[in-house]
Amino acid sequence: MSGTTAESNPDRKTRVTVLVALTANLVIAVAKAVGGLFAGSPALLSEAAHSVADSLNEVFLLAALRRSRRPADRRHPFGYGKERYFWSLLAAVGIFVMGGCFSFFQGFEALRNGTEEKLSGYVAGLIVLGVAFVAEGVSLLRALHQVRAQGGASGLRDPALRTVVAEDGTAVLGVTLAMVGMALHMVTGQVVWEAAASIAIGALLVFVAYVLGREARDQLIGEAADPELRGRIRALLEAQPEIDSVEALFTMMTGLESTLVAARIDLVPGLDSEEVEEVAVRIKRSVARMFPQAREIFLDVTDRRAQEAGQSPAATGERGGA
């Protein structure tokens, strides 16, 4: 199948992982918000903002999974694969604005105005955080299991899965910070501990947002394929008997499973124009067969004899699946 109905098995698993994270975050956000208002806890309210941000980000990631699968059309001849990176960038912005900034605000407000909590408030807050820790941990384990199933570090190439892992890992650490801050506030009576926990959560979210945003930016502006893949493509080209030298090789990821390949090659002397065309077609098909992710392949072919005779070099391009 093709078009919007075509979906790979890893995408189906990623969708389930995102839905698990979304369900957990929605339930936890409500519990944290109610518990934070009841307890008057800045750390717990910061964690509620964190969960709301994560929930919105999961919606962005679901949109990314759906929209990035649309087939190429006249306006977007290289397809919609980069939609994945765009929505991941929005998720990073959401973490920064809704999670990080609100956590900083809660922390500084607690330091400025102080807050009073009753024992029942502490108990309610710690119970909510304990439930949140378990739920976030389950979601994180689900995401990590999928990462391992998809080849470990290579599974994190998917920005949707990478974002879920980062969010869940940050959530587990954030809940831990909030619990420590609330416990120290209860023991010492000093709100500075909860305020510090809230500010620390904010700093953690800003850092994660920066890392995720930087990776999405690199992929949006045209990141090259990994060096190992580039090396293998170059080796295949150099092994062709008709190629005298590979002058330049350019690659760009146009989606999670698609890469554009463009090479400038010099052919051995003595090939006529018809042979040059046949060689170019054969080489491009060899690259497409060996590297299925090379969806678009373009060769800038130069015949030295034609060049010496003052003729222009032939530039050829072909879709990788042809």
Side-chain angles (χ1 to χ4, degrees):
M1 299 178 66
S2 62
T4 56
T5 58
E7 184 178 39
S8 64
N9 187 53
D11 267 11
R12 287 194 293 271
K13 292 181 178 179
T14 299
R15 176 174 277 109
V16 172
T17 297
V18 174
L19 287 172
V20 169
L22 175 60
T23 302
N25 279 315
L26 285 174
V27 173
I28 293 168
V30 173
K32 287 177 180 176
V34 172
L37 292 172
F38 177 75
S41 167
L44 196 51
L45 289 174
S46 296
E47 272 299 300
H50 180 184
S51 294
V52 170
D54 285 353
S55 299
L56 181 60
N57 294 338
E58 260 92 59
V59 175
F60 288 157
L61 298 179
L62 289 173
L65 291 172
R66 178 177 179 81
R67 295 178 65 85
S68 65
R69 281 289 170 185
R70 290 182 296 170
D73 55 32
R74 177 178 291 181
R75 292 187 61 191
H76 299 87
F78 297 116
Y80 290 81
K82 288 195 175 185
E83 286 249 23
R84 232 174 173 102
Y85 311 133
F86 169 74
W87 292 99
S88 297
L89 180 61
L90 289 186
V93 173
I95 293 173
F96 176 82
V97 175
M98 297 185 62
C101 293
F102 185 78
S103 295
F104 280 129
F105 171 77
Q106 285 293 320
F108 289 124
E109 277 292 295
L111 286 176
R112 189 178 68 173
N113 299 324
T115 182
E116 292 293 333
E117 294 183 34
K118 298 178 181 179
L119 179 60
S120 58
Y122 288 120
V123 173
L126 289 172
I127 290 174
V128 169
L129 288 173
V131 172
F133 183 88
V134 173
E136 298 284 13
V138 169
S139 180
L140 177 61
L141 289 175
R142 159 76 197 190
L144 291 176
H145 174 74
Q146 186 179 343
V147 170
R148 285 195 297 270
Q150 292 182 203
S154 62
L156 293 177
R157 289 176 53 249
D158 185 345
L161 184 56
R162 183 172 63 232
T163 301
V164 171
V165 171
E167 285 179 349
D168 288 345
T170 304
V172 169
L173 184 54
V175 168
T176 303
L177 289 172
M179 292 177 70
V180 172
M182 183 175 286
L184 289 174
H185 185 186
M186 180 175 63
V187 172
T188 65
Q190 299 295 318
V191 72
V192 66
W193 293 109
E194 272 200 78
S198 186
I199 293 171
I201 292 168
L204 178 64
L205 291 173
V206 168
F207 173 74
V208 171
Y210 168 75
V211 173
L212 292 175
R214 182 184 61 187
E215 292 173 347
R217 178 208 63 188
D218 290 344
Q219 292 165 325
L220 275 174
I221 63 178
E223 189 174 36
D226 64 82
E228 190 267 342
L229 176 60
R230 296 200 303 271
R232 291 169 58 201
I233 293 175
R234 178 178 284 273
L236 176 63
L237 292 174
E238 291 175 341
Q240 305 304 308
E242 298 88 353
I243 295 181
D244 190 41
S245 64
V246 179
E247 297 299 318
L249 175 63
F250 305 97
T251 61
M252 183 177 69
M253 294 177 61
T254 56
L256 184 61
E257 299 171 354
S258 60
T259 302
L260 181 148
V261 177
R264 185 178 302 121
I265 59 176
D266 282 339
L267 297 180
V268 296
L271 298 177
D272 59 33
S273 59
E274 186 174 338
E275 289 175 317
V276 168
E277 183 177 353
E278 291 175 355
V279 166
V281 171
R282 183 184 59 77
I283 291 174
K284 286 182 289 184
R285 288 179 175 170
S286 295
V287 173
R289 185 170 56 253
M290 290 292 295
F291 307 101
Q293 64 269 54
R295 302 288 179 83
E296 294 86 21
I297 304 167
F298 300 92
L299 296 180
D300 181 3
V301 180
T302 300
D303 180 0
R304 285 184 176 175
R305 188 178 67 172
Q307 190 175 26
E308 290 170 359
Q311 300 175 10
S312 6
T316 63
E318 181 173 299
R319 298 285 296 189

